[in-house]
Amino acid sequence: MMNNTGLALGGGAVLGAAHIGVLKAIEEKGIEIKFITGTSIGSFVAALYAFGKEWSEINDITSELNWMDITSISLSRYSLLSNDKFGSLLVEHIGDQKIEESRIPLAIIATDASTGEKVILKKGSVAKAVMASSCIPGIFKPVVIDDKMLIDGGIVENVPINTLRKLGAQYVIGVDLNASHNYQKPENILDVLMNSFHFIMQQSAKLQTEDADFLIKPDLSSFDRTDTTQIGDLTKKGYEDTISALEKIELNKTKNWFGELLKVMKKNLGI
């Protein structure tokens, strides 16, 4: 892989724990990430990584999380809940940082609730940007930044590959959490809203991910996207599927090298 490698982490609610396993695999393979982007839960993991947290530290932060740790009741004309606690959790672990102060160049994706346009956040409060990017419509209260009412970035770019290239990455690794997922019969209003929202993301992501140089699609079909008790298993699955995908690349490179060597030998020997 090229030295100028970037990582785009997609949204997927609790499935985002698989990103931690992806980071573990990437670190083990010695791949240095020079740029990083994130949408929704991907923005949370991306922010922690961009500010120097290794996969093991991110794993410690998320391993015992539950919905009450990151949400609170906020009945209003816009939402049922608030994700203010999500921002507070980020501040607790990296401080009240600004995006432009990150160790690894970082961009976070949100959606303008008034126009439907993509908003790329590269400056300002990391916590507010992550809250905006992960603000699922109808569930979480919109976040106002620069007079714009912002909601979940998954609506416009769930796997922020195009944004990653604009940030400067020449080789792009994308992580699509929704590529292999089975939807269960909803049991409550939260499930209905989450399923509906992710149906939209799944369709748009198919086109967005075509531009990745290397796309990681962990098979998360057996996991529930709202059950935080699965975090450990999701991390393990993300790791296993990423290692498998990386080893296939290495095997193909070896085959290609050996094939080219045979061609040269045949040519030189006149075979």
Side-chain angles (χ1 to χ4, degrees):
M1 294 185 182
M2 298 179 65
N3 291 329
N4 209 7
T5 299
L7 180 64
L9 301 180
V14 174
L15 301 181
H19 286 319
I20 302 169
V22 172
L23 291 175
K24 179 184 179 183
I26 284 174
E27 287 182 17
E28 284 187 4
K29 290 293 183 179
I31 300 170
E32 186 177 359
I33 301 302
K34 295 289 189 178
F35 302 90
I36 193 165
T37 55
T39 298
S40 200
I41 188 62
S43 71
F44 178 73
V45 178
L48 289 170
Y49 199 71
F51 278 89
K53 297 294 183 183
E54 297 181 351
W55 79 267
S56 57
E57 295 174 283
I58 301 174
N59 186 58
D60 289 341
I61 292 169
T62 61
S63 61
E64 297 183 0
L65 282 182
N66 59 57
W67 272 102
M68 295 308 296
D69 292 326
I70 58 175
T71 64
S72 58
I73 300 296
S74 178
L75 297 177
S76 72
R77 57 179 174 168
Y78 295 121
S79 65
L80 300 173
L81 304 170
S82 166
N83 65 354
D84 289 350
K85 288 184 178 180
F86 206 32
S88 298
L89 182 66
L90 202 56
V91 172
E92 178 185 342
H93 291 284
I94 65 171
D96 190 12
Q97 302 276 9
K98 295 186 181 298
I99 299 172
E100 61 269 30
E101 297 169 344
S102 61
R103 297 184 187 182
I104 301 172
L106 168 69
I108 292 170
I109 308 302
T111 303
D112 189 324
S114 299
T115 64
E117 294 178 347
K118 178 169 71 174
V119 177
I120 302 173
L121 299 166
K122 296 189 290 185
K123 293 182 179 180
S125 168
V126 178
K128 287 195 72 174
V130 169
M131 286 165 54
S133 183
S134 57
C135 182
I136 301 171
I139 296 180
F140 293 128
K141 179 178 66 178
V143 176
V144 178
I145 298 178
D146 295 333
D147 294 325
K148 293 181 179 179
M149 182 182 289
L150 303 181
I151 53 177
D152 202 298
I155 297 169
V156 286
E157 193 180 24
N158 193 48
V159 186
I161 289 167
N162 181 262
T163 299
L164 188 59
R165 290 202 186 279
K166 290 181 178 179
L167 199 60
Q170 293 177 326
Y171 187 91
V172 169
I173 301 172
V175 185
D176 186 356
L177 303 176
N178 299 296
S180 300
H181 186 72
N182 294 330
Y183 292 87
Q184 306 298 321
K185 182 180 178 180
E187 295 183 359
N188 51 53
I189 186 174
L190 180 62
D191 286 345
V192 171
L193 290 169
M194 293 287 282
N195 278 5
S196 300
F197 179 61
H198 285 97
F199 290 149
I200 297 170
M201 292 199 307
Q202 193 175 45
Q203 292 303 312
S204 61
K206 289 179 181 178
L207 295 175
Q208 295 166 0
T209 54
E210 289 178 354
D211 194 36
D213 296 298
F214 175 48
L215 183 62
I216 299 169
K217 300 185 291 183
D219 182 1
L220 308 178
S221 56
S222 62
F223 294 93
D224 184 288
R225 60 182 68 245
T226 60
D227 184 358
T228 54
T229 64
Q230 308 167 109
I231 287 177
D233 290 334
L234 280 162
T235 300
K236 181 181 178 183
K237 186 61 174 171
Y239 170 77
E240 291 173 346
D241 286 8
T242 302
I243 285 291
S244 177
L246 289 171
E247 287 177 347
K248 284 180 182 177
I249 284 183
E250 292 171 352
L251 180 61
N252 288 335
K253 283 183 177 180
T254 300
K255 287 180 177 178
N256 291 338
W257 176 85
F258 188 66
E260 291 300 317
L261 178 61
L262 283 177
K263 287 180 183 179
V264 171
M265 290 175 65
K266 288 180 178 179
K267 182 178 180 180
N268 290 339
L269 294 173
I271 301 175

